[in-house]
Amino acid sequence: HVRGWNWDGSGATTAIAGISFFAYDGLLWGVNVSCGDLDDDGIDEIITGPGPDPSAESRVRGWNYDGIELTAISGLDFPAFDTSVTHGVKVATGRFRVRGR
């Protein structure tokens, strides 16, 4: 279950009503989550990978949240490894830069 939270910097948190969803139906071992601006629009996307469930495929999924609606990102739903690899996958976001370019 993925949930979003706002933190005000002083310790107070409030739930983001539009970010509360199950990224992977039927799995019982949690979900790994990362956020980052993948498309350079100034708004972070949500990236998920299933937790260490022995039956979980290593599937990565992406989600957009525009402040009102949460939607799956078309094309950002793929196995990170061969589909025979199970036990989920950890995800991370960031910018990869090649030195000298």
Side-chain angles (χ1 to χ4, degrees):
H1 187 185
V2 177
R3 294 194 63 196
W5 302 90
N6 280 320
W7 180 60
D8 70 3
S10 68
T13 57
T14 55
I16 301 171
I19 303 177
S20 180
F21 65 99
F22 290 94
Y24 303 92
D25 291 333
L27 299 181
L28 303 175
W29 294 61
V31 62
N32 296 300
V33 179
S34 182
C35 295
D37 185 6
L38 302 179
D39 56 9
D40 285 328
D41 67 354
I43 300 170
D44 285 356
E45 285 71 46
I46 302 167
I47 308 304
T48 63
D53 188 323
S55 66
E57 182 182 349
S58 60
R59 182 156 294 279
V60 175
R61 290 184 174 158
W63 314 86
N64 277 317
Y65 179 66
D66 64 6
I68 299 169
E69 184 179 22
L70 179 79
T71 56
I73 298 173
S74 177
L76 189 46
D77 183 352
F78 61 91
F81 303 101
D82 181 279
T83 56
S84 66
V85 175
T86 59
H87 289 77
V89 64
K90 292 191 177 188
V91 293
T93 56
R95 296 200 178 266
F96 178 76
R97 289 186 169 76
V98 177
R99 187 173 298 231
R101 292 187 185 193

